[in-house]
């Protein structure tokens, strides 16, 4: 998932900068980040400037690439172009709790591939990142729990999360023996599209 995310973000960076990485300046990276817009999903959709959080995700990916290039000797050590690229301000949204009728509306309008992610988050309380790392082999329906291995947990400690009856029924038709529970590298984008679809219906 991580590599797929890097490939997508750095793919856009590669389209903009076609020369040697050593010639890319911090100012150019800053301009690139400020100019990023969403990719329209239809001919009528107008591209929008990316949120501060999305820009920071791009900045993080670019920084990873520069660190890799420096470690492999493609860049001189201590060049520090990324140090001059400031972090974008992120809007901190309020944490909301969905009412049962609101959650029902979300699940009714979600595509099948999103159901495991949404229901595990809603009924088991796993964190966003934990679900992205989750494998179907960790979802033990017969035993009645989800195993969060230490390597996949934010707190780096193993824990067992109970599977309630409602979650068990939701997952029954989606479960697999193994493989990632969530196939999307960028769930934020999928959730935004889902919200737009629901808002249109409302």
């Amino acid at each position: 998932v991580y590599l797929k995310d890097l490939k997508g973000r750095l793919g856009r960076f590669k389209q903009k900068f076609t020369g040697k990485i050593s010639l890319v300046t911090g100012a150019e990276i800053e301009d690139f980040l400020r100019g990023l817009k969403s990719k329209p999903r239809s001919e009528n959709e107008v591209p929008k400037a990316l949120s501060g959080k999305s820009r920071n995700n791009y900045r993080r990916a670019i920084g990873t690439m520069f660190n890799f290039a420096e470690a492999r000797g493609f860049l001189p050590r201590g060049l520090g172009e990324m140090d001059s690229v400031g972090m974008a301000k992120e809007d901190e949204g309020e944490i909301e709790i969905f009412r049962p009728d609101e959650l029902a509306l979300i699940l009714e309008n979600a595509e099948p591939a999103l159901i495991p992610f949404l229901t595990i988050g809603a009924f088991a309380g796993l964190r966003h990142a934990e679900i992205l790392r989750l494998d179907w082999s960790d979802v033990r329906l017969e035993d009645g729990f989800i195993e969060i291995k230490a390597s996949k947990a934010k707190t780096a400690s193993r824990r067992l999360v109970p599977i309630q009856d409602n979650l068990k029924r939701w997952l029954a038709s989606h479960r697999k023996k193994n493989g990632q529970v969530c196939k999307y590298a960028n769930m934020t984008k999928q959730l935004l599209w889902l919200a737009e679809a629901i808002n249109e219906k409302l």
Side-chain angles (χ1 to χ4, degrees):
V1 172
Y2 174 63
L3 292 176
K4 187 177 178 183
D5 182 65
L6 281 180
K7 187 175 180 181
R9 296 185 195 282
L10 295 177
R12 292 182 74 173
F13 187 80
K14 183 180 73 170
Q15 290 172 358
K16 177 73 175 176
F17 300 99
T18 56
K20 292 184 177 180
I21 191 173
S22 59
L23 300 178
V24 180
T25 66
E28 289 175 324
I29 297 170
E30 183 93 43
D31 290 342
F32 166 76
L33 293 173
R34 290 183 181 278
L36 284 171
K37 295 189 184 301
S38 61
K39 292 181 180 179
R41 291 183 295 150
S42 65
E43 294 180 4
N44 301 326
E45 186 177 344
V46 179
K48 299 175 184 175
L50 293 188
S51 68
K53 184 172 184 179
S54 293
R55 278 170 48 194
N56 286 336
N57 287 338
Y58 271 91
R59 183 189 181 279
R60 207 167 287 117
I62 295 166
T64 298
M65 180 183 66
F66 269 72
N67 290 337
F68 175 83
E70 192 174 296
R72 290 298 180 95
F74 303 133
L75 275 176
R77 290 193 177 276
L79 195 64
E81 287 300 326
M82 289 303 300
D83 295 340
S84 64
V85 181
M87 297 283 287
K89 184 177 179 182
E90 296 186 14
D91 296 327
E92 294 185 9
E94 291 185 19
I95 296 175
E96 298 181 28
I97 298 174
F98 293 112
R99 298 192 307 266
D101 59 312
E102 292 173 328
L103 186 57
L105 185 65
I106 291 170
L107 295 175
E108 285 168 11
N109 287 280
E111 59 180 88
L114 293 177
I115 294 296
F117 178 93
L118 295 170
T119 54
I120 290 173
F123 302 133
L126 268 66
R127 297 177 179 91
H128 182 119
E130 288 176 335
I131 306 174
L132 291 181
R133 299 185 197 113
L134 201 62
D135 191 274
W136 278 111
S137 61
D138 302 322
V139 182
R140 296 159 66 170
L141 288 186
E142 291 77 13
D143 299 320
F145 63 82
I146 298 171
E147 180 184 7
I148 310 299
K149 294 183 171 72
S151 60
K152 299 179 182 179
K154 183 180 179 180
T155 57
S157 59
R158 177 180 177 266
R159 71 184 198 278
L160 304 178
V161 181
I163 296 176
Q164 305 296 338
D165 288 340
N166 56 354
L167 177 57
K168 188 173 184 177
R169 287 197 293 270
W170 274 104
L171 294 179
S173 60
H174 295 274
R175 72 174 304 195
K176 299 172 184 174
K177 284 188 176 180
N178 48 47
Q180 287 180 309
V181 169
C182 180
K183 67 175 185 177
Y184 298 105
N186 189 340
M187 265 306 299
T188 302
K189 189 183 292 183
Q190 298 299 325
L191 295 175
L192 286 173
W193 288 344
L194 177 58
E196 288 173 6
I198 293 171
N199 288 337
E200 285 176 14
K201 288 198 173 187
L202 293 173

Short mmCIF file of all heavy atoms in Angstrom, two decimals, residues 31-77:
data_model
loop_
_atom_site.label_atom_id
_atom_site.label_comp_id
_atom_site.label_asym_id
_atom_site.label_seq_id
_atom_site.Cartn_x
_atom_site.Cartn_y
_atom_site.Cartn_z
N ASP A 31 6.83 25.43 -5.13
CA ASP A 31 5.90 25.86 -6.19
C ASP A 31 5.08 24.67 -6.69
O ASP A 31 3.89 24.81 -6.97
CB ASP A 31 6.67 26.49 -7.36
CG ASP A 31 7.26 27.85 -7.00
OD1 ASP A 31 6.80 28.44 -6.00
OD2 ASP A 31 8.20 28.29 -7.69
N PHE A 32 5.73 23.52 -6.82
CA PHE A 32 5.04 22.32 -7.27
C PHE A 32 3.92 21.95 -6.29
O PHE A 32 2.79 21.66 -6.70
CB PHE A 32 6.04 21.16 -7.40
CG PHE A 32 5.42 19.80 -7.54
CD1 PHE A 32 4.86 19.40 -8.75
CD2 PHE A 32 5.36 18.92 -6.46
CE1 PHE A 32 4.27 18.14 -8.88
CE2 PHE A 32 4.79 17.67 -6.59
CZ PHE A 32 4.24 17.28 -7.79
N LEU A 33 4.23 21.96 -5.00
CA LEU A 33 3.24 21.59 -3.98
C LEU A 33 2.07 22.57 -3.96
O LEU A 33 0.92 22.17 -3.84
CB LEU A 33 3.91 21.53 -2.60
CG LEU A 33 4.94 20.42 -2.40
CD1 LEU A 33 5.66 20.58 -1.06
CD2 LEU A 33 4.29 19.05 -2.49
N ARG A 34 2.37 23.85 -4.08
CA ARG A 34 1.30 24.87 -4.06
C ARG A 34 0.42 24.79 -5.30
O ARG A 34 -0.74 25.18 -5.27
CB ARG A 34 1.90 26.27 -3.94
CG ARG A 34 2.53 26.56 -2.58
CD ARG A 34 3.06 27.98 -2.49
NE ARG A 34 3.67 28.24 -1.21
CZ ARG A 34 3.00 28.56 -0.10
NH1 ARG A 34 1.68 28.68 -0.15
NH2 ARG A 34 3.64 28.79 1.03
N GLY A 35 0.97 24.27 -6.38
CA GLY A 35 0.21 24.20 -7.63
C GLY A 35 -0.57 22.91 -7.81
O GLY A 35 -1.30 22.74 -8.80
N LEU A 36 -0.45 21.97 -6.87
CA LEU A 36 -1.15 20.69 -7.01
C LEU A 36 -2.66 20.86 -6.94
O LEU A 36 -3.18 21.57 -6.08
CB LEU A 36 -0.71 19.73 -5.90
CG LEU A 36 0.68 19.08 -6.07
CD1 LEU A 36 1.06 18.34 -4.79
CD2 LEU A 36 0.70 18.14 -7.26
N LYS A 37 -3.35 20.21 -7.85
CA LYS A 37 -4.82 20.23 -7.86
C LYS A 37 -5.34 18.80 -7.96
O LYS A 37 -4.64 17.90 -8.40
CB LYS A 37 -5.32 21.06 -9.05
CG LYS A 37 -4.95 22.54 -8.96
CD LYS A 37 -5.64 23.35 -10.03
CE LYS A 37 -5.22 24.80 -10.02
NZ LYS A 37 -5.48 25.47 -8.74
N SER A 38 -6.57 18.63 -7.55
CA SER A 38 -7.20 17.31 -7.61
C SER A 38 -7.40 16.91 -9.06
O SER A 38 -7.58 17.76 -9.94
CB SER A 38 -8.54 17.33 -6.88
OG SER A 38 -9.43 18.25 -7.50
N LYS A 39 -7.39 15.60 -9.32
CA LYS A 39 -7.65 15.11 -10.67
C LYS A 39 -9.15 14.99 -10.88
O LYS A 39 -9.84 14.30 -10.11
CB LYS A 39 -6.98 13.74 -10.86
CG LYS A 39 -5.46 13.81 -10.86
CD LYS A 39 -4.86 12.43 -11.08
CE LYS A 39 -3.34 12.49 -11.09
NZ LYS A 39 -2.73 11.16 -11.28
N PRO A 40 -9.72 15.68 -11.89
CA PRO A 40 -11.17 15.60 -12.13
C PRO A 40 -11.61 14.20 -12.52
O PRO A 40 -10.91 13.51 -13.27
CB PRO A 40 -11.40 16.61 -13.26
CG PRO A 40 -10.08 16.78 -13.93
CD PRO A 40 -9.04 16.54 -12.87
N ARG A 41 -12.76 13.78 -11.99
CA ARG A 41 -13.28 12.45 -12.30
C ARG A 41 -14.25 12.49 -13.48
O ARG A 41 -14.67 11.46 -13.97
CB ARG A 41 -13.98 11.86 -11.08
CG ARG A 41 -13.02 11.51 -9.96
CD ARG A 41 -13.73 10.88 -8.80
NE ARG A 41 -14.66 11.79 -8.18
CZ ARG A 41 -15.79 11.42 -7.57
NH1 ARG A 41 -16.13 10.15 -7.54
NH2 ARG A 41 -16.58 12.32 -7.01
N SER A 42 -14.61 13.69 -13.92
CA SER A 42 -15.49 13.84 -15.08
C SER A 42 -15.09 15.11 -15.83
O SER A 42 -14.33 15.94 -15.32
CB SER A 42 -16.96 13.92 -14.64
OG SER A 42 -17.17 15.09 -13.88
N GLU A 43 -15.63 15.28 -17.04
CA GLU A 43 -15.28 16.44 -17.87
C GLU A 43 -15.78 17.74 -17.24
O GLU A 43 -15.20 18.80 -17.42
CB GLU A 43 -15.89 16.28 -19.27
CG GLU A 43 -15.27 15.13 -20.05
CD GLU A 43 -15.89 14.99 -21.43
OE1 GLU A 43 -16.74 15.83 -21.79
OE2 GLU A 43 -15.53 14.04 -22.14
N ASN A 44 -16.89 17.65 -16.49
CA ASN A 44 -17.50 18.85 -15.92
C ASN A 44 -16.89 19.25 -14.57
O ASN A 44 -17.13 20.36 -14.10
CB ASN A 44 -19.01 18.64 -15.73
CG ASN A 44 -19.71 18.32 -17.05
OD1 ASN A 44 -19.30 18.82 -18.09
ND2 ASN A 44 -20.73 17.49 -17.01
N GLU A 45 -16.14 18.36 -13.97
CA GLU A 45 -15.59 18.66 -12.64
C GLU A 45 -14.39 19.58 -12.75
O GLU A 45 -13.49 19.38 -13.56
CB GLU A 45 -15.17 17.35 -11.95
CG GLU A 45 -14.73 17.56 -10.51
CD GLU A 45 -14.40 16.25 -9.82
OE1 GLU A 45 -14.79 15.18 -10.33
OE2 GLU A 45 -13.73 16.29 -8.78
N VAL A 46 -14.40 20.64 -11.94
CA VAL A 46 -13.31 21.63 -11.94
C VAL A 46 -12.26 21.19 -10.92
O VAL A 46 -12.59 20.93 -9.76
CB VAL A 46 -13.84 23.04 -11.58
CG1 VAL A 46 -12.70 24.04 -11.55
CG2 VAL A 46 -14.92 23.46 -12.55
N PRO A 47 -10.99 21.09 -11.33
CA PRO A 47 -9.93 20.70 -10.38
C PRO A 47 -9.84 21.70 -9.23
O PRO A 47 -9.96 22.91 -9.42
CB PRO A 47 -8.65 20.73 -11.23
CG PRO A 47 -9.12 20.62 -12.64
CD PRO A 47 -10.46 21.30 -12.68
N LYS A 48 -9.65 21.18 -8.01
CA LYS A 48 -9.53 22.04 -6.82
C LYS A 48 -8.13 21.92 -6.25
O LYS A 48 -7.47 20.90 -6.39
CB LYS A 48 -10.55 21.60 -5.76
CG LYS A 48 -11.99 21.71 -6.21
CD LYS A 48 -12.91 21.15 -5.13
CE LYS A 48 -14.36 21.16 -5.59
NZ LYS A 48 -15.26 20.51 -4.59
N ALA A 49 -7.70 23.00 -5.58
CA ALA A 49 -6.40 22.97 -4.91
C ALA A 49 -6.44 21.91 -3.81
O ALA A 49 -7.45 21.74 -3.13
CB ALA A 49 -6.08 24.34 -4.32
N LEU A 50 -5.35 21.18 -3.65
CA LEU A 50 -5.29 20.13 -2.63
C LEU A 50 -5.29 20.74 -1.23
O LEU A 50 -4.82 21.85 -1.02
CB LEU A 50 -4.04 19.28 -2.81
CG LEU A 50 -3.96 18.40 -4.06
CD1 LEU A 50 -2.74 17.49 -3.97
CD2 LEU A 50 -5.21 17.57 -4.25
N SER A 51 -5.82 19.99 -0.29
CA SER A 51 -5.82 20.43 1.11
C SER A 51 -4.40 20.45 1.65
O SER A 51 -3.48 19.85 1.08
CB SER A 51 -6.69 19.49 1.94
OG SER A 51 -6.08 18.21 2.02
N GLY A 52 -4.23 21.13 2.78
CA GLY A 52 -2.91 21.18 3.42
C GLY A 52 -2.39 19.80 3.76
O GLY A 52 -1.21 19.50 3.60
N LYS A 53 -3.29 18.93 4.22
CA LYS A 53 -2.87 17.57 4.58
C LYS A 53 -2.38 16.81 3.36
O LYS A 53 -1.36 16.11 3.42
CB LYS A 53 -4.04 16.83 5.23
CG LYS A 53 -3.67 15.44 5.72
CD LYS A 53 -4.78 14.82 6.53
CE LYS A 53 -4.35 13.48 7.09
NZ LYS A 53 -5.39 12.84 7.91
N SER A 54 -3.09 16.94 2.23
CA SER A 54 -2.67 16.25 1.00
C SER A 54 -1.32 16.77 0.52
O SER A 54 -0.46 15.99 0.09
CB SER A 54 -3.73 16.43 -0.09
OG SER A 54 -4.91 15.76 0.25
N ARG A 55 -1.15 18.09 0.59
CA ARG A 55 0.14 18.67 0.18
C ARG A 55 1.27 18.15 1.08
O ARG A 55 2.37 17.84 0.59
CB ARG A 55 0.07 20.19 0.24
CG ARG A 55 -0.56 20.80 -1.00
CD ARG A 55 -0.85 22.26 -0.84
NE ARG A 55 0.26 23.02 -0.30
CZ ARG A 55 0.14 24.27 0.17
NH1 ARG A 55 -1.06 24.86 0.17
NH2 ARG A 55 1.18 24.92 0.63
N ASN A 56 1.01 18.02 2.36
CA ASN A 56 2.04 17.51 3.27
C ASN A 56 2.35 16.05 3.00
O ASN A 56 3.48 15.60 3.18
CB ASN A 56 1.59 17.70 4.73
CG ASN A 56 1.67 19.16 5.16
OD1 ASN A 56 2.43 19.94 4.59
ND2 ASN A 56 0.90 19.52 6.16
N ASN A 57 1.34 15.29 2.55
CA ASN A 57 1.59 13.89 2.17
C ASN A 57 2.51 13.82 0.96
O ASN A 57 3.39 12.95 0.89
CB ASN A 57 0.27 13.18 1.88
CG ASN A 57 -0.53 12.89 3.14
OD1 ASN A 57 0.04 12.84 4.24
ND2 ASN A 57 -1.82 12.73 3.01
N TYR A 58 2.32 14.73 0.00
CA TYR A 58 3.21 14.80 -1.16
C TYR A 58 4.62 15.22 -0.71
O TYR A 58 5.62 14.66 -1.17
CB TYR A 58 2.68 15.80 -2.19
CG TYR A 58 1.74 15.20 -3.20
CD1 TYR A 58 0.37 15.19 -2.98
CD2 TYR A 58 2.22 14.64 -4.38
CE1 TYR A 58 -0.50 14.64 -3.90
CE2 TYR A 58 1.37 14.09 -5.31
CZ TYR A 58 0.00 14.08 -5.07
OH TYR A 58 -0.85 13.53 -5.98
N ARG A 59 4.68 16.19 0.19
CA ARG A 59 5.97 16.66 0.68
C ARG A 59 6.73 15.52 1.36
O ARG A 59 7.94 15.36 1.18
CB ARG A 59 5.76 17.81 1.68
CG ARG A 59 7.05 18.42 2.20
CD ARG A 59 6.76 19.39 3.35
NE ARG A 59 8.00 20.00 3.83
CZ ARG A 59 8.85 19.41 4.67
NH1 ARG A 59 8.60 18.18 5.09
NH2 ARG A 59 9.94 20.04 5.07
N ARG A 60 6.01 14.71 2.13
CA ARG A 60 6.62 13.58 2.83
C ARG A 60 7.19 12.56 1.83
O ARG A 60 8.29 12.04 2.01
CB ARG A 60 5.57 12.93 3.72
CG ARG A 60 6.12 12.22 4.93
CD ARG A 60 5.02 11.88 5.92
NE ARG A 60 4.53 13.05 6.62
CZ ARG A 60 3.29 13.53 6.54
NH1 ARG A 60 2.39 12.92 5.81
NH2 ARG A 60 2.94 14.59 7.22
N ALA A 61 6.42 12.29 0.77
CA ALA A 61 6.86 11.33 -0.24
C ALA A 61 8.10 11.84 -0.97
O ALA A 61 9.05 11.08 -1.22
CB ALA A 61 5.73 11.06 -1.24
N ILE A 62 8.11 13.12 -1.30
CA ILE A 62 9.26 13.71 -1.99
C ILE A 62 10.48 13.69 -1.08
O ILE A 62 11.60 13.40 -1.52
CB ILE A 62 8.93 15.15 -2.45
CG1 ILE A 62 7.81 15.13 -3.51
CG2 ILE A 62 10.17 15.85 -3.02
CD1 ILE A 62 7.18 16.48 -3.78
N GLY A 63 10.27 13.99 0.21
CA GLY A 63 11.37 13.94 1.17
C GLY A 63 11.96 12.55 1.28
O GLY A 63 13.18 12.38 1.39
N THR A 64 11.10 11.54 1.24
CA THR A 64 11.56 10.14 1.28
C THR A 64 12.44 9.85 0.08
O THR A 64 13.48 9.19 0.19
CB THR A 64 10.35 9.19 1.30
OG1 THR A 64 9.59 9.43 2.48
CG2 THR A 64 10.79 7.73 1.27
N MET A 65 12.02 10.34 -1.10
CA MET A 65 12.80 10.11 -2.30
C MET A 65 14.17 10.80 -2.21
O MET A 65 15.19 10.21 -2.59
CB MET A 65 12.05 10.62 -3.53
CG MET A 65 12.80 10.43 -4.84
SD MET A 65 11.95 11.12 -6.26
CE MET A 65 12.01 12.86 -5.89
N PHE A 66 14.20 12.03 -1.70
CA PHE A 66 15.46 12.75 -1.57
C PHE A 66 16.40 12.05 -0.59
O PHE A 66 17.60 11.96 -0.83
CB PHE A 66 15.20 14.20 -1.15
CG PHE A 66 15.05 15.15 -2.31
CD1 PHE A 66 13.92 15.11 -3.10
CD2 PHE A 66 16.04 16.07 -2.62
CE1 PHE A 66 13.77 15.96 -4.18
CE2 PHE A 66 15.90 16.93 -3.70
CZ PHE A 66 14.76 16.87 -4.48
N ASN A 67 15.84 11.54 0.51
CA ASN A 67 16.66 10.81 1.48
C ASN A 67 17.24 9.53 0.86
O ASN A 67 18.39 9.17 1.10
CB ASN A 67 15.83 10.46 2.72
CG ASN A 67 15.50 11.69 3.55
OD1 ASN A 67 16.20 12.70 3.48
ND2 ASN A 67 14.43 11.61 4.33
N PHE A 68 16.39 8.85 0.08
CA PHE A 68 16.84 7.63 -0.61
C PHE A 68 17.97 7.97 -1.58
O PHE A 68 18.99 7.26 -1.65
CB PHE A 68 15.66 7.01 -1.35
CG PHE A 68 16.03 5.82 -2.19
CD1 PHE A 68 16.14 4.56 -1.63
CD2 PHE A 68 16.26 5.96 -3.55
CE1 PHE A 68 16.48 3.46 -2.40
CE2 PHE A 68 16.60 4.87 -4.34
CZ PHE A 68 16.71 3.62 -3.76
N ALA A 69 17.78 9.05 -2.36
CA ALA A 69 18.79 9.45 -3.35
C ALA A 69 20.12 9.81 -2.67
O ALA A 69 21.20 9.49 -3.17
CB ALA A 69 18.27 10.64 -4.15
N GLU A 70 20.01 10.45 -1.51
CA GLU A 70 21.22 10.82 -0.77
C GLU A 70 21.92 9.58 -0.24
O GLU A 70 23.15 9.47 -0.31
CB GLU A 70 20.82 11.75 0.39
CG GLU A 70 22.00 12.41 1.06
CD GLU A 70 21.56 13.42 2.10
OE1 GLU A 70 20.93 14.42 1.73
OE2 GLU A 70 21.86 13.19 3.30
N ALA A 71 21.15 8.62 0.28
CA ALA A 71 21.73 7.39 0.82
C ALA A 71 22.41 6.56 -0.26
O ALA A 71 23.40 5.87 0.00
CB ALA A 71 20.64 6.56 1.50
N ARG A 72 21.89 6.64 -1.50
CA ARG A 72 22.46 5.86 -2.61
C ARG A 72 23.56 6.62 -3.37
O ARG A 72 24.09 6.12 -4.34
CB ARG A 72 21.35 5.48 -3.60
CG ARG A 72 20.38 4.44 -3.06
CD ARG A 72 21.09 3.13 -2.76
NE ARG A 72 20.20 2.12 -2.23
CZ ARG A 72 19.61 1.18 -2.95
NH1 ARG A 72 19.80 1.13 -4.25
NH2 ARG A 72 18.83 0.28 -2.38
N GLY A 73 23.83 7.86 -2.96
CA GLY A 73 24.89 8.62 -3.59
C GLY A 73 24.48 9.38 -4.85
O GLY A 73 25.32 9.87 -5.60
N PHE A 74 23.16 9.46 -5.11
CA PHE A 74 22.69 10.22 -6.27
C PHE A 74 22.64 11.71 -5.96
O PHE A 74 22.55 12.54 -6.86
CB PHE A 74 21.29 9.74 -6.69
CG PHE A 74 21.23 8.28 -7.01
CD1 PHE A 74 20.21 7.49 -6.49
CD2 PHE A 74 22.18 7.68 -7.81
CE1 PHE A 74 20.14 6.13 -6.77
CE2 PHE A 74 22.13 6.32 -8.10
CZ PHE A 74 21.11 5.55 -7.57
N LEU A 75 22.69 12.05 -4.67
CA LEU A 75 22.71 13.43 -4.22
C LEU A 75 23.85 13.61 -3.23
O LEU A 75 24.11 12.71 -2.43
CB LEU A 75 21.39 13.79 -3.50
CG LEU A 75 20.20 14.22 -4.34
CD1 LEU A 75 18.99 14.43 -3.43
CD2 LEU A 75 20.49 15.49 -5.10
N PRO A 76 24.51 14.76 -3.24
CA PRO A 76 25.55 14.99 -2.23
C PRO A 76 24.90 15.11 -0.85
O PRO A 76 23.81 15.68 -0.71
CB PRO A 76 26.19 16.31 -2.67
CG PRO A 76 25.19 16.96 -3.57
CD PRO A 76 24.40 15.86 -4.21
N ARG A 77 25.53 14.59 0.17
CA ARG A 77 24.99 14.64 1.52
C ARG A 77 24.95 16.08 2.02
O ARG A 77 25.83 16.88 1.74
CB ARG A 77 25.83 13.78 2.47
CG ARG A 77 25.66 12.30 2.20
CD ARG A 77 26.23 11.46 3.32
NE ARG A 77 26.00 10.03 3.08
CZ ARG A 77 24.88 9.39 3.39
NH1 ARG A 77 23.89 10.06 3.97
NH2 ARG A 77 24.75 8.11 3.13
#
